Amino acid sequence: MSVPPEAERGRATVTISAGSLRGVALADGVHRWLGIPYAAAPVGQSRFERPVAHPGWVGVRDAGTMGPTAPQAPYRAALGELLPTVVIEGDEYLNLNIWAPADASGLPVMVWVHGGSLAHGANALPGYDGAAFARDGVVYVAVNYRLASEGFSVLDGAPGNVGLADVVAALRWVQAEIAAFGGDPARVTVFGESAGSILLGALVAHPDAEALFARAILQSGMPDALPPAKAGRITALVAERLGRAGSRAAFAEVPPDELVAAEQAVTAGGTPMTGGAGFALAIGDDLVPAHPQAALLAGAGCGIGLLLGSNTEEYRLWFVPTGLLDRVGPVLFAGARLKFRIGRRILAAYRAARPGAGRGELLGALATDLLVRLPINRLADARLDRGVATHVYEFAWRSPVRDLGAAHAMELPFVFDGLGSGAWTSLTGDAPPQSLADEMHAAWVRFAKTGDPGWEPWDARRPVRVFDAPTTTTVLAPREAERAAWG
């Protein structure tokens, strides 16, 4: 069920290592603290460096309003109408928000890491309100991290992957401080979507993962990273645009808004599905010592419980609003086939499953499977071979808005049980099925509490929980002919 509109009932004060915090007591016995710094502001000498501890404060710090957000630009054009951007000025944007039951003690914790192509997003977005999780007995934490060039540049004289280092710092903060809010640091489940899922997948693959969290939910984004030379191509493009060297010293002289403008210029026209300049994790440091997907397939992360899945029509978020769906001609289609090595056997299987589909729909389905669904299957298979439980889902409900269907990000309003808030109507329309939100949100909470979301784990039959309305069912080996065609 949806959470009623919030009503302030009083103050909620806690004391942590850095000092005391005054939050807000909301309706229905939920307490909330916003804008809590988990690291020092990443400015001045700390810019492009790994996060360091916050110096703390004297007296009681107000935690009643959202904290600053990482420097970023809004999504372009039609995407900007579907996916909102919140910009709150300020230096202390390495912050987190917490919702918890008023009487919390030893409760499971869920830590949310937002998506946005490593260049957009914030914990301050209204859709990431955590009241529904707190209502259901979970301490919910939502974190910010450095984005785009600030977080994922490959610069001479600077460490890489500092945005990922921010997420690690936030998780260490949770381990040290969450008990003050009623959470159990031994029962932490991390969950993230898109870029957030990619970041968390890299951490699941890290040897120290079990010291930070016990379970992970990866939504519509499989672990990925590039060699530094490839990950640094966008840094080189930004540097060229600015007329500067690709070094920490040179980038530190550029104001954040000018850096964002240069990023916008060099990434124009690219998407996660069609390619183009974009930010990525770089392989080779202590945070990403090897390709995370390869590490997971080789047995990393077997001590972490995993729930992972994707949306049936991920591609439609980029293909439909931009008109690309109808603009995929023979040349573009042939180029994509060549780039992704899509042979005749594979194409025949997808055409047989979609009689009458145009090139745009076929390309989108192929890209969705190649980038997300096939890696999910391979990871679940690898963990099964090692006797490790993995639960797999697919989100299939089709939004009527702009013919988006079951597009990328469409599951978020249902995971957060936020249909009644108005924060998600740009994606879902005015009458999305509340029963589906009840079901999906409850599964996420069950997984955080018990490790079992409510359906059987992956086995040789390939069970996938397909979330749809009016009926959610477990399907064995969905679209097996297409999967098998890849070999």
Side-chain angles (χ1 to χ4, degrees):
M1 62 180 178
S2 295
V3 177
E6 62 183 51
E8 186 173 324
R9 296 292 181 84
R11 298 295 179 183
T13 302
V14 297
T15 299
I16 59 175
S17 299
S20 295
L21 294 160
R22 183 175 58 246
V24 174
L26 303 172
D28 290 349
V30 172
H31 287 179
R32 182 189 68 193
W33 298 265
L34 305 175
I36 307 168
Y38 64 82
V43 297
Q45 293 302 310
S46 295
R47 198 175 177 201
F48 302 108
E49 297 289 345
R50 288 197 173 178
V52 297
H54 193 275
W57 53 86
V58 176
V60 180
R61 181 184 177 113
D62 179 59
T65 57
M66 292 290 180
T69 57
Q72 61 190 281
Y75 288 97
R76 293 182 178 89
L79 271 185
E81 298 171 9
L82 297 169
L83 302 175
T85 296
V86 172
V87 175
I88 303 173
E89 301 291 340
D91 292 339
E92 287 190 332
Y93 61 82
L94 296 186
N95 63 62
L96 49 81
N97 302 327
I98 297 176
W99 280 255
D103 57 352
S105 178
L107 293 181
V109 180
M110 296 186 73
V111 180
W112 170 248
V113 180
H114 67 77
S117 301
L118 299 179
H120 304 276
N123 61 3
L125 285 166
Y128 299 150
D129 184 289
F133 289 103
R135 176 202 67 201
D136 293 334
V138 169
V139 177
Y140 165 88
V141 183
V143 306
N144 277 344
Y145 54 94
R146 278 172 281 186
L147 301 171
S149 294
E150 299 280 352
F152 300 97
S153 289
V154 179
L155 296 168
D156 293 336
N161 300 320
V162 295
L164 180 61
D166 294 340
V167 176
V168 171
L171 291 171
R172 287 176 176 155
W173 185 97
V174 168
Q175 287 296 312
E177 310 290 357
I178 204 63
F181 301 87
D184 182 351
R187 302 174 68 196
V188 174
T189 296
V190 295
F191 69 127
E193 182 263 350
S194 193
S197 177
I198 291 172
L199 294 177
L200 292 177
L203 295 185
V204 173
H206 195 276
D208 296 336
E210 292 180 57
L212 297 175
F213 50 88
R215 300 183 182 111
I217 304 173
L218 307 183
Q219 301 170 211
S220 298
M222 290 304 291
D224 197 13
L226 297 173
K230 290 186 177 180
R233 286 175 182 171
I234 189 168
T235 304
L237 291 172
V238 171
E240 182 180 5
R241 179 82 182 183
L242 293 168
R244 293 178 177 267
S247 67
R248 181 195 179 279
F251 270 47
E253 294 176 351
V254 181
D257 59 341
E258 292 183 21
L259 200 55
V260 169
E263 294 159 5
Q264 284 287 94
V266 303
T267 59
T271 76
M273 283 282 169
T274 59
F279 292 93
L281 293 175
I283 300 168
D285 63 11
D286 59 321
L287 288 177
V288 191
H291 194 292
Q293 179 83 345
L296 289 169
L297 292 176
C302 282
I304 303 294
L306 273 189
L307 166 60
L308 61 162
S310 61
N311 297 355
T312 307
E313 301 170 301
E314 299 274 0
Y315 69 95
R316 295 184 78 85
L317 180 66
W318 298 281
F319 280 36
V320 175
T322 62
L324 179 61
L325 187 69
D326 299 321
R327 295 201 310 270
V328 176
V331 175
L332 177 57
F333 191 77
R337 283 189 63 188
L338 182 64
K339 177 180 179 180
F340 296 116
R341 300 178 181 177
I342 300 168
R344 292 181 180 179
R345 179 168 175 260
I346 296 170
L347 185 57
Y350 279 74
R351 279 181 169 154
R354 296 166 179 79
R359 293 187 187 92
E361 185 178 343
L362 285 171
L363 179 59
L366 287 159
T368 294
D369 284 3
L370 184 64
L371 296 176
V372 188
R373 194 169 74 94
L374 293 174
I376 287 170
N377 277 253
R378 293 186 188 114
L379 178 53
D381 282 344
R383 286 168 61 90
L384 177 63
D385 289 343
R386 292 173 173 82
V388 182
T390 307
H391 291 84
V392 178
Y393 78 89
E394 181 174 321
F395 182 83
W397 180 75
R398 304 196 79 252
S399 171
V401 175
R402 301 192 186 191
D403 197 26
L404 286 172
H408 189 70
M410 195 62 68
E411 87 284 6
L412 292 175
F414 300 87
V415 167
F416 278 82
D417 191 10
L419 300 181
S421 69
W424 296 105
T425 54
S426 61
L427 285 178
T428 65
D430 295 327
Q434 179 60 45
S435 60
L436 183 56
D438 294 341
E439 200 160 23
M440 200 167 195
H441 175 78
W444 264 233
V445 171
R446 277 196 301 269
F447 183 75
K449 290 181 176 181
T450 69
D452 180 359
W455 66 91
E456 60 265 47
W458 187 262
D459 59 24
R461 302 170 304 146
R462 301 177 177 271
V464 176
R465 190 67 166 172
V466 178
F467 287 95
D468 202 351
T471 304
T472 290
T473 58
T474 299
V475 178
L476 301 181
R479 298 188 300 286
E480 179 63 14
E482 294 147 275
R483 187 205 63 81
W486 293 89

